[in-house]
Amino acid sequence: MCGIVGYSGPQSAATPLIEGLRRLEYRGYDSAGIALGVSGKLFVAKKAGKLANLENALDSSLPIVHSGIGHTRWATHGGPTDRNAHPHVDNDGKLAVIHNGIIENYSELRTKLEIRGHVFTSETDTESVAHLLSDLRKEHKGDLAAAMRDAVNVLRGSFTLVAIHADNPDVVVGVRRNSPLVVGLGNGENFMASDVAAFIEYTKRAIELGQDEIVTITPTSVVITDSDGKLVTPKEYEISWDAAAAQKGGFTHFMLKEIFEQPKAVADTLIGRLSDNGQIVLDELRMTAEEIRSLKKITVIACGTAYHAGMVAKYAIEKWAKIPVEVEIASEYRYRDPIIDPGTLVIAISQSGETMDTLMAVRHAKAAGARVLAICNTNSSTIPRESDAVLYTHAGPEIAVASTKALLTQMIAVYLIGLHLAQANGQLSDDQVQHLYRELLELPGKIEQILETVEPLRELTRSFSENNIVLFLGRNIGYPVALEGALKLKELAYIHAEGFAGGELKHGPIALIDNGTPVIAILPAGHEHALDEKMLSNIQEVKARGARVIVIAEEGAHVEGAEHIIRIPIVPALLQPVLATVPLQVFAYEMAVARGNDVDQPRNLAKSVTVE
Ligand code: M6R
């Protein structure tokens, strides 16, 4: 939520700032703005709406200066207007600040600052920081970093703040608390951003910042201190993503590109996971076989699409490793007094590694003594940093707000964990594990097969584009797939979509079925259990009430009552979600296109949700 960029170096600052904002626009697109380090008085431009509005407003009068800050907003306090857009500036017009997060004590600060004579021009919580920093900087005789340190001790809430002052325009100062900020180390230039994607085309060297650490960059220096002013030794790391991965590469939308990247993402996540002696290699778990055998329970915490990967974990781990698994929406977890003991392993799943609801649940679990394992796609983000162990997925940057390849790789990660646990606690033989692992290795090819034959589905989808309701049915491990299909459709097509467990239909949801209601049913993989017959009955029940039924079924499976059948390759039942999800992603994508919606940046959403 909200994208932040800071730059100091030899380039005309507007270029890396606007480029950076373009890469971060997925984080919020209610407004965008920049402040450039013009000596004497800052140049500030900001506009409601997408980044393009700001770009159109920037004309040839744009000053060529070498430092600045930029922001793309997901609104919390104050509507998405020009006035509420960041940067916010002090009354001298010399200090500008951008912010991601929420300042919880902003109202109390505002009152105090107004009494001191500051005049506010926006409804945001952020503006109080601009005025506060302005006073503190004067107290510190022009030292912006010292002012930021004092501010951190006054502010409550979660925030990344980045500020600049016209009297020292080369100096950009940032801080983070419960919200992301990374530093990019260039050659004679330095960057700050919410996410490495913002500066990846200029440098692959980055530094992670700890809680409440204050960073000051100039073209040639990076200084980090803690909130007491003590110097901190930087933790540098190499960014493994390449710049091209954050471009559309000929596809019309990032989402479509990311759907088509799934075979590679899945294959990359599987690389090197079986040792020569047939053991699943998951050293990242940092658990001995003895510790695995003493596990009493696993709790998976996650939000949105990642939660659906958690549901897949429940079916797979319980079946293979016979360890009880509960799956919990992260935002609910810490508020219900969950039972946590040293025998509990908590698995936190998050693409971004920054989702505040999941982070807070992680902290709660850790404080209560649980061991926390993160499954994450973003290197050095907060959730893996605060967890005891991390298993990285290798999806590469996921730019579209709707999660696709991240989900498939999360599923692969939970399968690997399930197999590893089952092998360690003796619930599956080495032969069984190796067989399932070989099946996992075949998934990329099978996803490719689905993608090669997706054109008729795209055409079919367009015929449903006027419908305002779509229902999804699944049973067993097809149930999370149904939920995911519905979430994707809500998010992208803005229509009422619900996923149900097939057996629940008769307990209420069947009342929603009317003449012509589209119902998408996921037929369980037929060879491993008899649930497919029950789903076939559900199909008949909805068809009898006028539904238009689309069935996703494996090759060769017997299907009755469907208006359309989408065939997917045969896999062991528990692996089916990896394949069955793909046509539903395409369905949601095509619906969004047909309805003229913004596919990559659906309304009201942001990719990384860093507020609770
Ligand atoms: O970064 P995370 O995986 O923690 O994000 C969790 C959800 O916000 C995310 O999966 C969201 O539901 C997606 N936009 C769905 O496509």
Side-chain angles (χ1 to χ4, degrees):
M1 299 205 146
C2 298
I4 282 183
V5 201
Y7 176 77
S8 187
Q11 302 188 53
S12 169
T15 307
L17 292 179
I18 297 288
E19 274 312 309
L21 290 182
R22 204 183 318 286
R23 301 260 169 94
L24 295 183
E25 213 184 0
Y26 71 86
R27 299 180 65 88
Y29 27 86
D30 289 332
S31 63
I34 53 171
L36 298 178
V38 180
S39 184
K41 190 159 187 175
L42 298 175
F43 169 91
V44 179
K46 47 194 199 170
K47 275 272 161 239
K50 295 211 166 186
L51 180 61
N53 293 1
L54 173 70
E55 287 180 280
N56 292 338
L58 297 173
D59 55 22
S60 49
S61 62
L62 192 65
I64 309 290
V65 289
H66 305 286
S67 65
I69 59 180
H71 188 267
T72 175
R73 180 171 186 241
W74 187 84
T76 59
H77 295 57
T81 60
D82 286 358
R83 259 188 325 125
N84 290 333
H86 300 210
H88 289 283
V89 180
D90 69 351
N91 289 147
D92 300 332
K94 288 187 159 209
L95 184 146
V97 68
I98 49 179
H99 167 219
N100 172 31
I102 290 177
I103 307 294
E104 283 165 4
N105 55 336
Y106 79 98
S107 158
E108 159 193 336
L109 282 172
R110 181 171 179 144
T111 309
K112 282 189 193 151
L113 287 157
E114 280 176 335
I115 292 169
R116 292 215 290 263
H118 291 270
V119 178
F120 281 68
T121 56
S122 78
E123 303 143 88
T124 64
D125 51 340
T126 309
E127 193 183 349
S128 53
V129 183
H131 296 288
L132 176 70
L133 278 176
S134 179
D135 279 2
L136 292 172
R137 184 182 168 279
K138 283 171 191 157
E139 280 170 29
H140 283 284
K141 307 201 167 21
D143 184 339
L144 185 56
M148 192 65 99
R149 255 192 306 277
D150 277 4
V152 165
N153 294 320
V154 171
L155 300 174
R156 291 202 306 271
S158 62
F159 46 79
T160 297
L161 296 164
V162 174
I164 189 168
H165 195 281
D167 289 349
N168 298 92
D170 277 356
V171 176
V172 182
V173 176
V175 68
R176 68 169 285 267
R177 176 187 296 166
N178 295 333
S179 174
L181 183 65
V182 279
V183 178
L185 302 172
N187 201 354
E189 60 184 353
N190 289 305
F191 305 79
M192 292 183 201
S194 311
D195 176 333
V196 295
F199 51 71
I200 198 172
E201 79 179 272
Y202 303 110
T203 179
K204 293 263 183 115
R205 289 170 59 216
I207 293 176
E208 56 183 57
L209 278 190
Q211 281 288 80
D212 284 6
E213 287 179 357
I214 291 106
V215 58
T216 306
I217 62 167
T218 67
T220 52
S221 66
V222 173
V223 177
I224 304 174
T225 68
D226 65 15
S227 55
D228 295 325
K230 229 170 72 217
L231 277 179
V232 171
T233 313
K235 283 193 215 123
E236 192 181 322
Y237 66 99
E238 190 78 15
I239 303 163
S240 55
W241 292 350
D242 78 74
Q247 313 280 354
K248 277 191 203 147
F251 284 86
T252 37
H253 297 99
F254 278 111
M255 184 184 175
L256 193 61
K257 173 179 174 246
E258 288 161 7
I259 288 174
F260 276 83
E261 282 172 347
Q262 293 184 117
K264 180 174 183 319
V266 166
D268 288 352
T269 306
L270 282 166
I271 285 175
R273 292 303 180 181
L274 195 72
S275 70
D276 292 344
N277 61 353
Q279 303 293 302
I280 296 288
V281 182
L282 273 190
D283 297 342
E284 298 99 317
L285 255 57
R286 299 195 193 158
M287 287 180 82
T288 62
E290 173 127 11
E291 284 169 329
I292 290 175
R293 279 193 290 273
S294 64
L295 271 182
K296 300 267 175 310
K297 178 179 80 169
I298 294 175
T299 303
V300 183
I301 46 178
C303 304
T305 287
Y307 173 81
H308 300 149
M311 290 179 73
V312 170
K314 178 176 173 66
Y315 287 94
I317 297 175
E318 287 190 344
K319 174 93 175 172
W320 292 336
K322 306 277 181 272
I323 300 169
V325 180
E326 54 187 36
V327 194
E328 181 117 7
I329 292 172
S331 55
E332 291 292 318
Y333 182 66
R334 70 180 170 132
Y335 298 105
R336 68 155 182 92
D337 247 335
I339 297 163
I340 302 168
D341 58 35
T344 308
L345 171 68
V346 169
I347 302 181
I349 308 180
S350 173
Q351 187 284 129
S352 61
E354 299 293 348
T355 300
M356 186 59 75
D357 291 319
T358 311
L359 176 61
M360 289 303 166
V362 165
R363 287 188 181 157
H364 185 82
K366 283 204 73 179
R371 179 196 292 263
V372 179
L373 164 68
I375 295 177
C376 187
N377 191 43
T378 311
N379 256 287
S380 295
S381 52
T382 310
I383 291 170
R385 282 210 323 251
E386 296 202 10
S387 300
D388 298 296
V390 54
L391 178 55
Y392 281 111
T393 50
H394 295 280
E398 192 181 65
I399 309 287
V401 167
S403 189
T404 53
K405 58 178 180 168
L407 170 65
L408 262 54
T409 57
Q410 287 161 354
M411 291 183 196
I412 298 300
V414 302
Y415 291 139
L416 288 171
I417 292 170
L419 292 179
H420 179 67
L421 298 179
Q423 196 164 36
N425 70 11
Q427 291 294 336
L428 289 184
S429 68
D430 287 354
D431 279 355
Q432 286 170 308
V433 168
Q434 285 157 24
H435 165 73
L436 284 161
Y437 184 74
R438 279 194 298 276
E439 291 285 351
L440 287 174
L441 290 179
E442 292 196 3
L443 289 173
K446 293 180 176 177
I447 301 168
E448 243 157 42
Q449 236 175 290
I450 297 173
L451 292 172
E452 276 160 14
T453 53
V454 91
E455 213 36 59
L457 168 63
R458 294 179 69 171
E459 211 178 302
L460 169 70
T461 307
R462 292 192 279 272
S463 73
F464 287 99
S465 67
E466 298 297 313
N467 283 82
N468 281 321
I469 175 170
V470 179
L471 305 181
F472 294 78
L473 298 182
R475 277 179 178 262
N476 193 263
I477 203 157
Y479 175 40
V481 177
L483 294 179
E484 174 62 10
L487 176 62
K488 281 282 102 65
L489 203 59
K490 280 186 263 219
E491 188 176 26
L492 290 160
Y494 316 151
I495 64 181
H496 182 206
E498 292 296 334
F500 299 107
E504 274 295 287
L505 200 63
K506 55 192 176 295
H507 299 290
I510 200 161
L512 290 167
I513 310 285
D514 206 350
N515 233 1
T517 306
V519 173
I520 302 188
I522 299 110
L523 199 67
H527 300 290
E528 299 210 3
H529 46 73
L531 275 175
D532 48 345
E533 282 174 13
K534 301 228 166 14
M535 181 55 81
L536 288 174
S537 305
N538 293 145
I539 292 169
Q540 293 302 336
E541 287 154 14
V542 295
K543 190 169 175 248
R545 288 158 178 87
R548 294 179 62 192
V549 185
I550 304 172
V551 174
I552 297 179
E554 64 182 19
E555 282 152 6
H558 168 72
V559 182
E560 274 169 38
E563 193 173 308
H564 303 279
I565 305 174
I566 298 158
R567 295 287 178 184
I568 55 175
I570 296 173
V571 279
L574 286 170
L575 308 190
Q576 201 200 38
V578 175
L579 302 186
T581 302
V582 177
L584 302 186
Q585 296 168 340
V586 174
F587 185 80
Y589 169 82
E590 203 56 47
M591 278 287 244
V593 172
R595 292 167 75 94
N597 295 351
D598 188 332
V599 173
D600 287 333
Q601 295 169 348
R603 71 183 181 199
N604 305 337
L605 295 174
K607 179 90 183 148
S608 179
V609 185
T610 51
V611 293
E612 272 193 281

